[in-house]
Amino acid sequence: MSKRVRELLEAADPARGAQVGAGDVEALLLLARADITPHAAVVPARPRGSRLAVVGAACGAIVVVATAITVLQPTPGPPGSPAPSIVPDTTRVPADCLTPIADGLRATSYDGRTGRYEYLHMTGHSGYQIQMPGRPTGVATALFSHETSQWLAADGSGRMRVVRGAPTYPDEASRSFYAQHPDIGPKAGSETKDLRSGDFTVTVLPAANPAAMEQALYQPRENGPSQALVGVAGLNSQRVLDSAHRAAVLRFLAGTEGVTCRGEQTDPAGRSGIAVSAGGGRSPQPSPGDQGREYLLIDPQTGEVLASGVGDATAAGVVTWSTVYLERGHTDVLG
């Protein structure tokens, strides 16, 4: 990470200067499983933070010169709280459902196209939490939606834009805490950051074969197969994958022990896909109890990742899609 990006992250940190005492580590880890910080490539959040200026309406259709962008789902703005989906109990079915998709992969509008910038448009739901003073096990949580648009060139230059929705609170204690501390926590609004060359470290695309995908995305290996899904979601949050790389990702997942097919599902944008998942909590010293499952939703025609999320490990298979990938493409113009 460059010095400038670190400075941007530090300046945007809503908890900068807040005093945090000893807390309930298990509670923090449990809440963090639901994507407590945005994982989109935006300047302050999961290695991708926030960037915004004030934007009134949501992003509409993008029409630019020398652009090839696939609109995976038109949306009027950041969706509301993601509704949980019920996934069939197929936890023991291997992910061989992905092999036919890879074999018959259909091209997207951006396959074979080029442009200075890779463009990604995503929405998601994240959260912010801090321990409440004087309450060792009390954690104040704020939840919010975020919409991210990013234009990234190979040298790390480009533009990042994040539109964050108004925070909501899961309990009255959290609501009261943030009301009494208005300078702490996320704020609704929009921010845009223009990036110079070197400001952002662009993830290198692995070679378009399953072995290279495994080496790059299934790390740390000791975390178990859920780490493979986390790696694929992270790659899709930073790069636009062509057909060869999408096929390699599908074959990598299909050959990963512990990744299973979970039937057809619909994401918050109303798109149907094939769900695959893998159980969490398989590190060398896992926490006790149900560690849930990581999920990906795959377009059965193009092999694109439509959404990623987390859910429980029960037969009911309740899953919440925390990140939804709406648009991908190549362009020579910053939006």
Side-chain angles (χ1 to χ4, degrees), residues 8 38 50 89 99 122 139 157 184 194 211 220-221 233 245 266 272 277:
L8 290 171
S50 77
D89 181 19
T99 301
M122 302 163 283
V139 177
S157 63
I184 298 177
D194 287 326
R221 186 85 178 193
H245 284 87
T266 302
S272 295
S277 73

Side-chain angles (χ1 to χ4, degrees), residues 79-291:
S81 297
S85 301
I86 305 298
V87 179
D89 181 19
T90 54
T91 56
R92 300 185 185 278
V93 180
D96 53 6
C97 61
L98 299 179
T99 301
I101 300 176
D103 290 342
L105 207 65
R106 179 180 297 177
T108 68
S109 66
Y110 55 80
D111 283 334
R113 304 290 294 271
T114 61
R116 173 171 173 77
Y117 304 104
E118 289 187 358
Y119 170 71
L120 287 169
H121 177 203
M122 302 163 283
T123 63
H125 289 78
S126 298
Y128 174 89
Q129 55 185 189
I130 187 171
Q131 182 182 335
M132 292 182 278
R135 298 178 59 181
T137 61
V139 177
T141 300
L143 307 174
F144 56 92
S145 64
H146 54 86
E147 180 176 7
T148 302
S149 299
Q150 63 187 47
W151 297 260
L152 284 177
D155 65 357
S157 63
R159 179 170 294 162
M160 301 273 192
R161 178 176 298 125
V162 172
V163 181
R164 186 181 293 113
T168 61
Y169 310 97
D171 51 62
E172 187 55 40
S174 294
R175 183 187 305 276
S176 176
F177 174 84
Y178 287 108
Q180 295 173 29
H181 302 83
D183 294 334
I184 298 177
K187 304 296 187 295
S190 174
E191 181 183 357
T192 298
K193 295 291 185 183
D194 287 326
L195 304 175
R196 299 174 301 187
S197 177
D199 278 353
F200 193 90
T201 302
V202 178
T203 298
V204 177
L205 272 178
N209 64 72
M213 292 296 174
E214 178 180 2
Q215 179 64 33
L217 305 180
Y218 197 169
Q219 301 294 338
R221 186 85 178 193
E222 56 267 25
N223 283 358
S226 64
Q227 184 62 46
L229 274 64
V230 171
V232 170
L235 182 63
N236 276 270
S237 293
Q238 290 209 14
R239 298 301 304 268
V240 175
L241 277 59
D242 60 22
S243 58
H245 284 87
R246 297 197 305 275
V249 165
L250 295 178
R251 293 193 171 97
F252 153 56
L253 292 176
T256 300
E257 182 179 358
V259 176
T260 60
C261 297
R262 300 298 294 264
E264 185 174 312
Q265 270 301 304
T266 302
D267 72 3
R271 303 167 300 178
S272 295
I274 302 299
V276 295
S277 73
R282 295 181 58 178
S283 59
Q285 294 182 314
S287 299
D290 173 19
Q291 300 304 307

Side-chain angles (χ1 to χ4, degrees), residues 12-28:
D13 183 2
R16 188 173 68 254
Q19 299 297 315
V20 180
D24 185 342
V25 175
E26 288 299 322
L28 290 172

